[in-house]
Amino acid sequence: MSPMKILLSILMIAAGFHAAHAAEWIGPDEKLAGKYDTKQLEQLLEQNKPAKDENIKVVPLFRNARSSNILVQVRDREPLHRHIDSDITVFMLRGAGDMRLGKETRPVKAGDVIHIERGAIHAYINRGAEPAAAIVVYSPAPGPKDRVLVEEKK
């Protein structure tokens, strides 16, 4: 085998180890009998509770050029807005409320997944006593002016 092929093989193996190490699981660990332990998710939420006077708390979890993952907790509601850089996928973790998409409003709850295309006007309204929580994935990762507030038309 040529030295170039050996070097290429070593680099590919090293890249594979790096990629494997770069992953981090924040969801439940599978346990015996098909049950799940949500300890890691509960710890993440416990360590990042919104303050009593904080309506929306955003915690960055991961970011690269292709995507951004954040934990969002909403005590009351989001203002009506749109994203100009990114499509977003919302994974509801806790709570229940209404998701407004354009002129339509739909009930959502923990376990639901909502895809919102770039440019779509939307807002979440929490209907529970405790803050709702979601993991939101932006694709591609948003720029600094991605979120644009929208005036309610009367």
Side-chain angles (χ1 to χ4, degrees):
M1 186 182 279
S2 75
M4 185 58 105
K5 285 185 179 179
I6 292 171
L7 179 60
L8 185 57
S9 296
I10 291 170
L11 288 174
M12 289 177 69
I13 291 169
F17 285 138
H18 175 67
H21 179 68
E24 182 179 352
W25 180 254
I26 60 170
D29 288 331
E30 189 170 342
K31 299 294 182 186
L32 298 176
K35 295 183 180 181
Y36 291 87
D37 176 10
T38 59
K39 184 173 120 181
Q40 290 152 326
L41 176 58
E42 294 302 323
Q43 285 176 344
L44 180 67
L45 291 168
E46 183 65 30
Q47 292 167 356
N48 294 286
K49 282 184 175 182
K52 291 288 182 197
D53 61 344
E54 190 174 23
N55 181 40
I56 299 173
K57 178 157 186 139
V58 176
V59 179
L61 301 173
F62 172 82
R63 183 183 179 93
N64 66 21
R66 294 177 301 281
S67 69
S68 175
N69 303 329
I70 61 173
L71 170 66
V72 177
Q73 296 177 79
V74 178
R75 188 173 297 284
D76 180 41
R77 66 187 61 230
E78 294 180 296
L80 201 55
H81 66 284
R82 63 188 174 94
H83 298 275
I84 59 173
D85 297 337
S86 309
D87 293 338
I88 64 171
T89 303
V90 179
F91 298 86
M92 291 291 297
L93 301 174
R94 183 183 276 174
D98 294 318
M99 180 64 78
R100 179 169 168 190
L101 293 168
K103 295 182 186 286
E104 190 175 333
T105 300
R106 293 185 179 194
V108 295
K109 64 187 177 326
D112 288 350
V113 177
I114 306 104
H115 179 74
I116 302 171
E117 291 185 7
R118 180 181 328 200
I121 296 171
H122 64 283
Y124 174 75
I125 300 103
N126 186 15
R127 298 292 181 210
E130 295 297 318
I135 298 270
V136 180
V137 178
Y138 290 76
S139 181
K145 296 181 181 179
D146 172 65
R147 187 172 185 254
V148 176
L149 297 179
V150 175
E151 292 282 329
E152 182 79 43
K153 292 183 180 177
K154 297 186 182 191

